[in-house]
Amino acid sequence: MGAYADLHRRSITDRESFWIEEARRIHWQRRFDQVLDYSRPPFARWFVGGLTNLCYNALDRHLAARGDQPALVYISTETDSEVTYTYRELHTVVNVMAALIAAQGVSRGDRVLLYMPMIPEAVIAMLACARLGAVHSVVFGGFAAASCATRIDDAKPKLLITADAGLRAGRAIHYKPLVDEALRLAQYPPQRVLVVNRGIDAGFKPVAGRDLDYATLAREHAGAQVPVTWLESSEPSYILYTSGTTGKPKGVQRDTGGYAVALASSMERIYGGKPGETMFTTSDVGWVVGHSYIVYGPLIHGMTTILYEGLPIRPDAGIWWKIVADKKVSVMFSSPTAARVLKKQDPAYLKKYDLSSLRHLFLAGEPLDEPTHRWLHDALGKPVIDHYWQTETGWPILSLAPGVEPAQVKYGSPGFPVYGYDLKLLRESDASEAAPNEKGVVIIAPPLPPGCMTTVWGDDARFVDTYFRTFPGRLLYSTFDWGVRDADGYTFILGRTDDVINVAGHRIGTREIEEAVQSHANIAEVAVVGVADSLKGQMPLAFAVVKDVSKIETEAGRATQEQEIMAAVDRQLGGIARPSRVLFVTLLPKTRSGKLLRRSLQALAEGRDPGDLTTIEDPAALEQIRHALST
Ligand code: PRX
């Protein structure tokens, strides 16, 4: 048995002693009494009774040995600036931020919502919340005001932290008016809004009595030292909202101790990073990848982390490789969509810089197609490791682990089950195990390992009902992905089992988009499906039935309606969810019992065979779909 297979086996058969060893990687202010409490399945509590803190592990613990080492390097090709914080400097500013957040009455267990661009203050605020034991909830800056409001009402934050504006390709995205709108829409708006004024939005207007200026308060609290709030291992560190099949986003709740241990472990064993080295993760702090591998993972491991604000192709397609060369990056983490964007550029950019420091490039978030995988691998001359995980798990489920043994990449596969995960591929019909090369549902037999979500924020029943009820009578965590394992044990991910689509690595529920489309006054019914896209993986496509057909009789009329519907989606969810097209029909293909034939619809949209249509209520619906697609 290879070293990795042995490690994985031990993590399952000898779970407790395995995780006791891993838990040594972090600082415990008080040691835990019990490794795992699984007395209330499927709720798992790891390292029961242990006291720790994410901020302490990310910063304070390193001060003695690496106070002068860069901790955070902020590089912005939007503002043409670069700022480096050593561990000591980051510790200082995090203390100031913690002091000014605490001065707003925020304490242990209180929520703080962050709606931030990719600036150091986003990282500083996350760490400051962690220091105080406050629960941060970062909402991706690309989400619309209405989406932000839904999350505010679920998390009920005491404080919201934002900036005047973000930047994208040199264009300002004004955050403050968006936050103002979100607070108008919310039922439980926080009393205070802390604003980092970058000086980008000249028309920026604070709301008197509500908005606080970060720079002013930071001066007032200069030099503050804020003691760490020690949390019991299972106390929440953060909430991160993600999409599912219903329109209502789920608050993925993360613990403290289990998460710290899982991240510390993965930094070495999976990513093969070494303290003192540099990691460059190109995600956004608003996503789980940003939480785990821009902020907490690298810092807990004593690495330097890079926070990049900008596009991968500005000022040119060599910018990321320039950063790798300049900062001697050893571990890089990006997304398949970014890889496909770079693949369209001049390959000379990949040869222009000295990439000798780089050992591995990891990609995750969406399926990595074999041609892109192969291209990048060859062009870089370094192992490109596709790995698979979810917001829910917080760290990889399937990966190669070059930190344990050399990685044998198989194109198109994210590799093997990560230690700690008792992963199975089950037949949908009877929950029996799929044979090699046979498709099955990817499930994790609980208990979920440390670091994974502990519940849905405020809704234990929803946690159980959503994730553990796929197979009646069996408590198994469903990833809602299809997978297949080949004879060598490599797993391949084949797509979602539910109605979630993946647009450029952003996970979006088709139901959410349908609800947004339906907010348009002339829409009677709508179906949104994900259609394969060569760059973004998938794009949403909407088929809409209108109430007043006179509005879509002319081409100009249809164009106007389509634009209005797209604007409605932008308003409700944000531009990332906007359908590529809205096609008008008078009938949607449904079964006689009224169920939408979603898979057939998707197949037709992708030019594939729609499959078994014997249950269709009215075949005329299909003709309409075919016709609409041909226009
Ligand atoms: O469908 C899978 C897909 O993205 C989903 C999780 O998305 P999210 O919660 O945003 O978390 C991303 C964390 C990296 C999964 O259920 N997915 C993620 N990685 C891969 C993938 N599909 C195929 N291959 C991957 N490597």
Side-chain angles (χ1 to χ4, degrees), residues 336-342 344 366 369 504 532-538:
T337 291
R340 288 189 292 263
V341 167
L342 294 174
K344 286 192 185 318
E366 52 180 315
D369 55 288
D533 181 89
S534 63
L535 196 63
K536 297 186 172 181
Q538 281 185 307

Side-chain angles (χ1 to χ4, degrees), residues 203-244:
F204 166 76
K205 280 192 198 62
V207 174
R210 189 198 73 186
D211 292 357
L212 307 163
D213 178 55
Y214 169 66
T216 309
L217 291 183
R219 271 193 300 277
E220 281 173 22
H221 290 273
Q225 295 279 334
V226 177
V228 163
T229 300
W230 299 107
L231 299 182
E232 199 277 335
S233 179
S234 291
E235 282 183 73
S237 56
Y238 67 76
I239 310 169
L240 186 56
Y241 287 89
T242 190
S243 302

Side-chain angles (χ1 to χ4, degrees), residues 288-289 364-367 386-391 481 493 496 502 507:
V288 70
V289 175
E366 52 180 315
D386 177 16
H387 66 325
Y388 158 86
W389 47 293
Q390 307 182 303
T391 304
D481 283 300
I493 296 294
R496 298 279 302 191
N502 199 318
R507 173 172 157 187

